Amino acid sequence: MSSCVYGKLEADFEIKAPASKFHEMFHKKPHHVSKASRDKVQSCDLIEGEWGKVGSIITWKYFHEGKAKVAKQVIEAVDEEKNMIVFRMIEGDLMEHHKEFKFIMQVSPKDKGSVVHWTLIYEKLRENILDPYSMLEFVAALSRDIDVSMSAGN
């Protein structure tokens, strides 16, 4: 029995924040994420380009699975009408076990609040590497923290 080295994980969950406001946090203000979720994200820094622009490179310092970690990502795509953004990993802890790793976040408005849809697309370096369910849980929990922060008016 062999497992696949390519994978895709997805999750949907409801938030109270408006879709455009929530998307804007990741698109144009990711450096504010640490204020909304201090226990998970310590910082987000712009390395190259402009906040929210395709091709820009950002570095995240975060705490995951009991350890301080780093992620260097390029903004690969943005669709403001669909409240969608794609981050592609280029360096960092996730790349120790993956050849490719992308985070896609899309937020859809509802009658009250919105639905956040996270997609993780990845290629593992070896078959025996676990699928990144804990990273999907991490971005879901991070999104909930941001939603609570926005609802509190922070």
Side-chain angles (χ1 to χ4, degrees), residues 125-140:
L125 291 173
R126 295 177 305 285
E127 288 182 6
N128 63 345
I129 293 168
L130 296 174
D131 290 315
Y133 288 103
S134 70
M135 184 49 69
L136 188 63
E137 291 167 8
F138 177 86
V139 295

Side-chain angles (χ1 to χ4, degrees), residues 98-123:
H98 299 88
K99 185 175 177 182
E100 287 278 332
F101 207 106
K102 286 185 188 182
F103 293 86
I104 302 168
M105 185 199 72
Q106 184 165 7
V107 194
S108 304
K110 289 181 37 174
D111 290 342
K112 288 185 178 178
S114 311
V115 174
V116 180
H117 181 82
W118 279 99
T119 306
L120 278 52
I121 300 172
Y122 53 92
E123 181 183 351

Side-chain angles (χ1 to χ4, degrees), residues 62-80:
Y62 63 103
F63 202 74
H64 179 240
E65 296 179 327
K67 295 181 187 137
K69 299 195 177 184
V70 177
K72 192 172 187 181
Q73 301 175 322
V74 63
I75 298 173
E76 193 167 82
V78 175
D79 186 330
E80 289 189 62

